[in-house]
Structure formats: structure tokens, C-alpha cells
Amino acid sequence: MPAARSILHLDMDAFFAAVEQRDNPALRGKPVLIGHDGPRGVVATASYEARPFGCHSAQPMAVAKRLCPQAIIVPVNGERYGEVSEQMFAILEEFSPLIEPVSIDEAFLDLSGTERLLGSDEAVARRLKDRIKSELNLTASAGLAGCKFLAKLASDMNKPDGLTIIRAEDVERVLPPLPVSKLWGIGKVTAERLGKYGIRTVGDLFKQPVEWLKKHLGNDAEWYLDLARGVDDRPVTPDREAKSIGHEETFEVNVADADEIRRVLLDQAEQVGHRLRRHGLKARAIAVKIRYGDFQTITRSLTFAAATDATAELWQAARGLFDKWSFQPVRLIGFTAERLSTGQEQMLLFADPARQRHEKLDAATDLINAKYGNRTIRRGGAG
Amino acid sequence: MKVIAQTAALQEALALASSIVALRTPKPVLQCVKLVAAGGTLTLLATDLEIGGRFVVSQVEVAKEGEALVPVAKLADIVREAGADTLTISVEKESCQITAGGARFKLLGFDPAEYPAIADFEDAGDFQVPSEAVAGLIDKTLFAAAKTHSHYAICGVLWEAAAKKLQLVATDGHRLAIAKAGLTKPATRDVSAIVPNKLMSLLQRATGGTEDTLAVKVTETQILIRSARAVLISSLVQGHFPRYSDVVPKDCVRKAIINALDFGHRIRQAALLTTEESKGVRLAFAPEQLTLTSRSPETGEAEAMMPIKFTGEPLEIAFNPAFLTDALKVSETDEITMEFTAGNNKPALMKLGQEFTYVVMPVDLR
């Protein structure tokens, strides 16, 4: 019997709409539809204010507008949501190394075995939600359970801003009344087919003989039966190996002050360095992305002779790339560490005094930030 | 100028000359080889401004002395396709005519006076060494030299001559190779110079397989090497070579005696399950046995065992497999030794012959 697991599913509430409402006070408290306003437009997200009117995501925009004529329609700003998503994942990473991103605003975290370090899973979930609220000014709904299926089910139960826990003893009470379509993998078509046989709830399904289910659901029958009992062994699998770690920032207006851009870039290099070190990764290369006011975007990369996680080396390389380009007002700046590798590192025969100094400085910075909160201490000048 | 040359000898000299000449250079003259027919021989001169070479072809008949400057790649192509044992090169002003068998080529050249001067050297130099010995030293060191720049001057091989010894040292910052050979007679003075990788491989090709004696002369900025058929000259790498003797382990407390051939084979087996990101092979040394293991996160694992003689506390240590096989390939002996000090984060000392020492830094096991 494997040790009991503790899986957290975190889902941002009406993510795109919430980001827009946060950034634009005029949208707050009003029904907002995110999506393209055209004959073929589809709703990407409906704010909670729009939902009582029957608006929901994946709905044709024309339908949503008929249901809620007063809704404000905002085009999708994917880049902005991507940035906020990155910030959200950066927070998640501080709680568990085992994170499986499901989408831009949704992830599983395996919290098993972190009690001694972080406290009970419930306390961790609360802290996580609090951090997202205080740092991003957004709300998330969380579900805690012993497996991924139940955790996802739980996070959906008290939206928005909910925290729902399904413990082993709750399974028999919670699952049977749910519609079969809540089972992972049962879509509309299968649900309708089962409905014809009078199977509408998870409980109905569970009561059927295995043979009958196999006949109608094929090889997946056992999988659905397991889910109906609240059994789901699938592990939380982090995004294969992280291929890169990066940060991007879009400015509200074009920034004409090169030093200001450098300060942002330094801050990004510092955060990326911190994340590399926390995950025991080193980067063989870095890339700097610059978008000018005229939307021309350039990306330039540099490969290191030896992989590094030293903020000073990352920054030096980033700065070198940035300074090579004639300065024009900048709309977006991004920094990425690429070609990441873990632990096993070829050691050097001859000491490199500069590298040793960087290691000491980074270790001290990381320690202070770990103790007193992220980014208590930062590098001073970008000069 | 007019010469009748043996095709094979000319082809060989042209191959060496073309390996010096820069392929891409904005100056057409620098894509050329200079031909000098004088004193009964034909000499080919080539340079990329860092390295220069004079290659003498003696299997010629000089009908009329003179000089020519022609694109080296095209001349080499023509000579390779000559299809006759001998060919005739005759030069009128800047055009060069080559006749071979039933074919005739006219190659447009340049004024020979436009070609950079390439120093010659006539005296006995600072020391003499058999070319075969130098070829052996290059085999044992050049592979370990750095290919990319670092803050040390290690994109080259350090030559140190003193008394009756010549020692070559190369490192890329991860491993270090030291090989020694005897001189024909004592050096007239102590010499220390960092020779660029390009000259090292040229030297190997130009003098390998011959029983010449090389005369070597080192100045402040250049090295000059003369064999019976060629003179090579190169600028030296400027800067500091690291203090390599500091990293050669002393007081080793563990020692393994290993069959070189078997070891190379086992390493290659284990290396099959490494990746670019996790490229270390683990070596577990026990009194009678060495176990090599590797793991590739997305592919699988490998384990290989072999008998060894080992004294000292058992040790587990990881290395980049290529760093080990590179040295084993050029081992002088069947039985090599591998010695360690305390811990698995210190360099290992390998002895692959009386005069061949190799130091290799492990891969961090954390």
C-alpha cells in the first residue's frame, strides 16, 4: 500500500477576466466577456458578473451578447495573461518542486511529505491562496485530496476563492450524486449514451455490473470504476524537464530610458538565477527578448562555456546582449535561461576566483530571501 | 618559371599548403600559394598571417627558375585530377599553365611580390628532436587542449624544453595531459612557449610518418620548426598558461591497476546510456572489481563490470566518459594506473606510460 498522497489542484478564478478587471478599474464589478467581438468570436472567459446571465467560456460571442447586452467585451491579451501566469507559477514553485501545469491558470501540486517543512496541507493551501491574493491581487480556488481526480473535483466545488477538501472518508458521500460527466474522460457523447440506460450519476455507474460496463465503455470501464470509487493513481508529473526558465515584462507605455530597462532586466536575471538555484539547475545559454515600440521583436541568445546558475554571470551576459542593440524605446523586455541541466556538473581543474565569489554572494542572497521573504534583498545598480 | 614535377609529391605538398590558407578572406592574394622554383627544387609557400609554411618538393626538374602566385584550392584540384605521373607548370607573367597527359589548364594568378614574406630558418635552433617523438607527444596532448577561449592561455599546447627533455602540456580546464620525450642532444637553452592548436595539427601532418629530426627555434613571439622537407612558423599564444603542476595530485591514497583496452570498452558500454545533460559515468572501485554505471533519465541505465587491482578505501566517483577514452586511445601501455586522493571531488591521476601523465577532474555527483 503506497503512502497516502496529498494532491492540491489550483485553479485561478475567471483568470483572463480577473486580470483585466484588476488592471482596469472601469471593468470592476461589471459583466466582462473576454474574447473576439465578431461574428465568429468565442468567449474565452466570462467574469463572475456575467455568469448569472448564462454567459460562460467557449460560448459564441454573439450568444453571450444576446444574453447579456450590457457586458463589456475585451479582446484577449495573451501576452499579459502569460506574464501573470508566470508570476503565479513562480509562487507555486516555492511550495513544491512537484508541479504539473495543466494550463495557463491551473496546476496540480504534490504536497505529500511536506508537512514537516511547510505544515499541514490545508495550511499550505491557505498560504498559497493568500500569497496569490496579496502578490497578484487575484483569487484562486483550491482543491485538496488524495488523488488528482478528486483534487480537481474539489477545486471546482466552491468557486470563486474556495478551498475544498475531499478526504478519504468523504468519498462515499461526495461522489455518488455527481453526474457521470464529472468523471475524467466521460464527455457529452458518452454521458448521453449512458443516460439512455438510466445511468446519470456516478452512483448509478458504480452499481452496474463490471461486464455490462465493459461491453458499453470498452477497456476504459475499469478506469471509470476506479474514478467512481475515488481511486486515481496517476502521479503529478512536472512538465517533463523544464526546458527554460524566464521572465517577461510588457510596459504600459514605451520606455525610452535604457537604464530603466536595464534595471528591469537585472531584476529578471536575479529572479531567474534564484529559481535556477532553487531547482538545482544550471543554464548553458541565455536569451534576451526585446520588443520595440514599433512591435519589431528581436531575440538574441548567448551560450556559456560552462553552465551557470550565478546571477552575476546571467546578468553580465544579458546586459552584453541588450547593450549590443541600438537603443530605441522598448515595449517589452524578457530574459530566459535555456538549455538547463541538473546537478551533474563537470568540475574545474583550475579555480576560478570570480566564480567562487559569485557562488558565495548568491548563496547569501538566497538565504536571506528564504528567511525573510522573497526579494527582501536585491542587487543595487544596473550600472 | 618552368618546372616538371612528380604529381604525387606535388599533391602532398599542396595538401599541406591548402590546410594553412584561410578559406574565407577578403584578400584574394591570401587564398593563394606561392611557388618558387630555384636551386633544383620547387618550394610552396602558404600563410594565414598567423601560421606560415614552406614545403619543399624535390621530385622536380627546374627548367627555368622563377615564381608564381596562384589560388591554392584551384591548383590542388587540377593536380588531383591530373591523371598523369608528371605534370609541367610554366608561368608567363601572372598566368600559370599546367599541362598533364592530354590536358592543359591556364590559371590566372597574381604578382608573387604581393604575397606576405614567410620567414625561413637555417641554423640549428634551440633544440633538435626526432619527428616521430614529436608526433607521439602531439597525439598524447593535443586532444586535451581547449577549443574555446578561457581566461587562461590554453587554446594551444605548452612546449617546455630543458636539458635532454621536451615536455608538452595541454589542458581545457577539465583535464590535463603531460607527455615527455628525449631530445637528440641537450637543448642549448630552456624554452617555454604556447603553440596554437592549428600549428600542432599541421606539424603532425607535415612530419608524421617520417624519420626526420626536427630543429626547433623559439623567439619572443614565434616558433619555427624545420624538417627535411618543410619549415613551419607560427605566432605563439600570448598569456598565462595555468600553473599545471599545482593540480597534479600528490600523496594518492588509492590506486587501481587497470587493463587499458578492457577499460576503454567498459567505458564505451556505460557511455551508451548517458545524455548530454547527464553525461557522467559512475565508477565504483572495490579491491577486485570496478563497476561502471550510467543513467539516462528518459532512456534507461547501463552497468558494466571488470576485474581490476585496487588498493585503498573503496571509492565512487563519476567522470565524463569521453575524457577517459580520449586518453586511453593513446595509452602507451596495456596496463594503466588510476590514482586518487581523498574524496570524489578531487582530480584523478592516470599514468598511461612512463612518460605520459593525465589528470582528469570528476563530474560532481551531487
Side-chain angles (χ1 to χ4, degrees), chain A residues 112-123:
Chain A
S112 318
T114 60
E115 291 95 57
R116 285 187 52 186
L117 206 63
L118 298 172
S120 77
D121 52 2
E122 191 179 340

Side-chain angles (χ1 to χ4, degrees), chain A residues 240-241 243 282 284 305-306 339-353, chain B residues 151 171 173-176 242 247 276-280 298 320 323 345 361-364 366:
Chain A
R240 298 278 280 181
E241 276 158 45
K243 294 278 183 275
K282 289 189 174 184
R284 281 296 307 275
R339 295 178 56 198
L340 308 182
S341 62
T342 45
Q344 286 201 348
E345 190 60 31
Q346 173 64 50
M347 290 189 271
L348 296 171
L349 211 40
F350 306 101
D352 184 339
Chain B
H151 62 278
T171 182
H174 302 306
R175 41 43 188 290
L176 171 82
V247 300
E276 216 223 310
E277 305 304 339
S278 65
K279 56 186 170 224
E298 293 181 7
N320 178 335
F323 286 180
N345 55 0
M361 203 62 192
V363 166
D364 199 341
R366 275 177 308 177

Side-chain angles (χ1 to χ4, degrees), chain B residues 8-22:
Chain B
L10 182 59
Q11 195 177 339
E12 202 180 309
L14 271 171
L16 292 169
S18 354
S19 72
I20 294 180
V21 173

Side-chain angles (χ1 to χ4, degrees), chain A residues 194-271:
Chain A
L194 290 170
K196 281 189 212 147
Y197 297 100
I199 299 170
R200 293 194 174 79
T201 65
V202 172
D204 295 340
L205 184 96
F206 195 54
K207 274 182 261 166
Q208 295 304 315
V210 180
E211 292 313 312
W212 187 91
L213 287 171
K214 275 192 178 162
K215 208 177 108 196
H216 289 86
L217 295 171
N219 289 333
D220 294 334
E222 286 181 26
W223 157 247
Y224 294 129
L225 274 176
D226 274 347
L227 289 185
R229 285 186 288 133
V231 175
D232 171 13
D233 290 335
R234 288 171 309 164
V236 172
T237 32
D239 215 7
R240 298 278 280 181
E241 276 158 45
K243 294 278 183 275
S244 65
I245 290 182
H247 281 291
E248 273 184 22
E249 190 164 337
T250 309
F251 303 109
E252 301 276 327
V253 292
N254 296 337
V255 176
D257 178 2
D259 280 331
E260 193 180 331
I261 308 290
R262 284 195 195 98
R263 274 193 294 276
V264 174
L265 191 59
L266 169 61
D267 194 41
Q268 290 173 338
E270 197 162 22
Q271 289 186 58

